[in-house]
Amino acid sequence: MPQTISEKIIAKAAGVDHVTPGEIVTCSVDLAMMHDGSGPGRAGKQLDALGVAPWDVSKIVVITDHYVLLDDDNSVALQRAATEWTATHGVTKFHEGEGICHVVLPEGGHLKPGMFCVGGDSHSPTAGAFGTFMVGIGATEMTGVLATGEIWVRVPETLRVHVTGTLADGVTAKDIILKLCGDIGIMGANYQAVEYTGPAVMALPMDDRMVLTNMAAELGAKTGIIAPDATTVATLTSLGVSDIDVDTWQSDADATIARTITIDGAALQPQVAAPSSPENAADVSEHAGVKLDQAYIGACTGAKLEDLRMAARVVKGRTVKDGMRFIIAPSSKRIHEKAAAEGTLKILEDAGAMILPTGCGGCIGLGPARLPEDAVGISSTNRNFVGRAGPKSSQLYLGSAYSVAAAALTGAITDPREFLGEGDVP
Amino acid sequence: MSFIEGRAWTYGDGINTDLLAPSPYLRHSLEEGAPHCLENHDPDFAPNVREGDIFVAGESLGVGSSREYAPHFLKHLGIRAILAKSFARIFYRNSLNLGLPPLVCADTDRIGRHDILRVDPSAGTVENTTKGETYTCDPIPAHLMEMVASGGLLAHLEKTLKKAG
Ligand code: SF4
């Protein structure tokens, strides 16, 4: 029976030959990822209160990112809960302050194609870039997984997003996903698995593929996934992962696809989403000239090495507009170090960017990148709901790292292709 | 699960988790955080909602983050059932796990603020006693009704783990 990659992974996790969309099955979890927000201090505590030990500590990964570097009592308590809970239960896959969970998870070599994973965060589908099936769950659901190693799943239909051709210079994965948010809305793929295919997708490096799967959450999807290929294998191998099965984890040619959306990659323009929803996306030209106070490159989706390189390419030899705050928080320590070593950070700093330590921070309105009262910002993050990145009076636009960097230079929403003359950096 | 009777708090489409549980209060306790529920959308809600009230919304209720505080704030403030035309999937599961029945109901536009509703989660029916109307909801999947009725996933786990152990 022909199946999609998602159906194959669920079937394996459920211990059956095949599954059909709509069917409810119980799956064994290959990996459960938790962060400091919903993890040890919430799900972990609930598990302890039940008096049950975690089902398999070798399958649990804890990554602190949401409240690192904050010194209020609640943040400190959540950090401490993570340290203590992992120590008490012998969880050795514990990454403290190393970066944002969805980026540290693959960096730590924890993912590979065919795995069935859950994460205590809505952007857990990010892992789908590696051919992994990963869904976001809440804290109590996580408690259930920690206790039993199992979770019920309604097998999702597959929505295929096929991106043809080659993206133009200055057009990125972020523009693909924002375009989709604009076209089908933030519930456009509700309960579905979004599978990205096509030459424009497979030409993307892993950093950019992760943007597509990360923001499947902004389509309301259960997950996003991309079948593994040579790029996946090369990246995973460089991260120390072995025994990577590419052939099994592909959708069969005649598998049932509920809906296919085709995007003309060559014709795609840079996209900017207006306040206060990703579905308010439109071609950058529609918002060009909107005056801004802050430009932020950060979050799991928007400050990976490729994003920092895009920003550097735009600002190289130029200066941030007077009065603009240009803030960058790399998605992980490892990315920070690489960007420093190759000179990318220096270009950004020379242009006037403020570099913050890694963490969720500005994405959820915490720390120095929180938008001030009445401020208008643009960011490479994934959500711009009212009150998320700053007070109710603030407004947030979303765009690619290219678009955010271009806005930093002009103090307004700008087509980044105006600044792409000078070629590659460093 | 028995009837839930209370006043309706009605909202439109796209009530997201950032509105229900604003990010600055996620690291706080339920007691500290819940009063901020919907403060950026309807500041009258949190101070005035009462035990037994019913939350009513349009499409895409709970879209956004996986934060369980979104339905948990509602429950803490007294909400005992949620009706919406459609739910974001994590919010839906979180509500079930907390023992707060989420019902998919196509007729939420017919419900007025503070109408008195009588909700039967097991049967999937809603009686609007203010308007004299009855609405039919999609039933909660059978494999979950027992968990919701026993008060949520934690209570259910306690029962089943005890049985097993
Ligand atoms: S960076 Fe933002 S979207 Fe990503 S995990 Fe952190 S809070 Fe969530």
Side-chain angles (χ1 to χ4, degrees), chain A residues 31-37 40 57-68 78-79 81-83 85-87 90-111 239 331-334 358-360:
Chain A
L31 178 148
M33 185 275 288
M34 298 188 276
H35 58 55
D36 48 351
V57 289
S58 73
K59 293 180 175 164
I60 298 172
V61 181
V62 175
I63 302 168
T64 60
D65 55 5
H66 278 57
Y67 305 115
V68 291
L78 287 171
Q79 303 304 305
T83 318
W85 193 85
T86 49
V91 174
T92 54
K93 294 173 179 169
F94 176 42
H95 302 270
E96 199 174 13
E98 288 174 33
I100 303 171
C101 58
H102 308 300
V103 173
V104 172
L105 192 62
E107 275 182 355
H110 301 303
L111 298 178
L239 295 166
S331 307
S332 75
K333 258 189 187 158
R334 184 188 150 102
T358 185
C360 293

Side-chain angles (χ1 to χ4, degrees), chain A residues 260-276:
Chain A
T260 300
I261 296 173
T262 304
I263 294 178
D264 180 353
L268 187 65
Q269 303 289 305
Q271 301 287 305
V272 167
S276 293

